[in-house]
Amino acid sequence: MKLTPSKINTFNIFKLPAVFLMGVRVKYINNEACTVTVKHKWINQNPFKSLFWAVQGMAAELTTGAIVMAKIAESGKKISMLVTSNNATFTKKATGRITFVCNDGELIDKALQRTIETGEGQTIWMKSVGTNADGVVVSTFNFEWSVKVKS
């Protein structure tokens, strides 16, 4: 099954309702990239009237995780995926619509190929950059994903 923004957003309603309620939405996905947006609103803000860091993290993680899910589905194998580490940098107050983009699809192919060939878990670091409507970077998230063929 090919993952589309509509399928992922529907999945989020039932499996990740906090993501959906906070307004996090997938706008684009292909084999190499994923784009997710979230708009600053009362429900997802911090006391400083900007987008709460955890909501930014949800959106950023979704850009990376959606590509991993799509690649696993494409492989036809039963492979587990898990975030094992992450870090973030915040460079500007996040207000308005924030767009997160991950362009690390090619990294996943190598890790999946290695885990399928060896049966050993593999890890990869993927980056998601959040920008505001003016194109200014507001935050950068890095996620370490672990993938392993299920036994």
Side-chain angles (χ1 to χ4, degrees):
M1 170 177 81
K2 182 170 171 48
L3 288 184
T4 64
S6 176
K7 288 177 185 175
I8 296 168
N9 292 331
T10 301
F11 171 86
N12 289 343
I13 293 170
F14 298 104
K15 298 296 185 180
L16 298 169
V19 168
F20 187 81
L21 291 172
M22 292 303 112
V24 176
R25 302 291 186 270
V26 175
K27 296 296 182 181
Y28 175 81
I29 185 168
N30 69 12
N31 279 335
E32 302 304 321
C34 183
T35 301
V36 170
T37 64
V38 61
K39 185 174 182 184
H40 169 241
K41 300 183 222 174
W42 173 84
I43 196 167
N44 60 22
Q45 73 179 352
N46 61 29
F48 309 106
K49 306 228 185 286
S50 64
L51 193 60
F52 186 52
W53 72 267
V55 176
Q56 293 181 62
M58 288 179 195
E61 182 183 356
L62 186 54
T63 64
T64 63
I67 302 172
V68 176
M69 284 175 34
K71 297 276 188 166
I72 288 172
E74 188 179 283
S75 78
K77 304 285 185 187
K78 291 187 180 228
I79 299 173
S80 63
M81 57 186 273
L82 178 69
V83 171
T84 55
S85 184
N86 77 300
N87 63 62
T89 304
F90 302 91
T91 51
K92 181 155 178 63
K93 193 172 183 174
T95 57
R97 184 168 303 279
I98 307 300
T99 301
F100 287 88
V101 177
C102 175
N103 293 303
D104 291 341
E106 76 284 346
L107 298 177
I108 303 161
D109 293 328
K110 296 172 189 168
L112 290 177
Q113 182 180 0
R114 284 193 302 268
T115 194
I116 290 167
E117 289 172 357
T118 67
E120 297 176 7
Q122 302 293 316
T123 61
I124 50 171
W125 280 93
M126 298 176 71
K127 179 168 75 171
S128 182
V129 178
T131 57
N132 64 19
D134 296 327
V136 176
V137 174
V138 298
S139 59
T140 302
F141 284 79
N142 297 291
F143 295 94
E144 181 182 42
W145 282 96
S146 172
V147 292
K148 185 177 181 191
V149 174
K150 292 180 182 179
S151 49

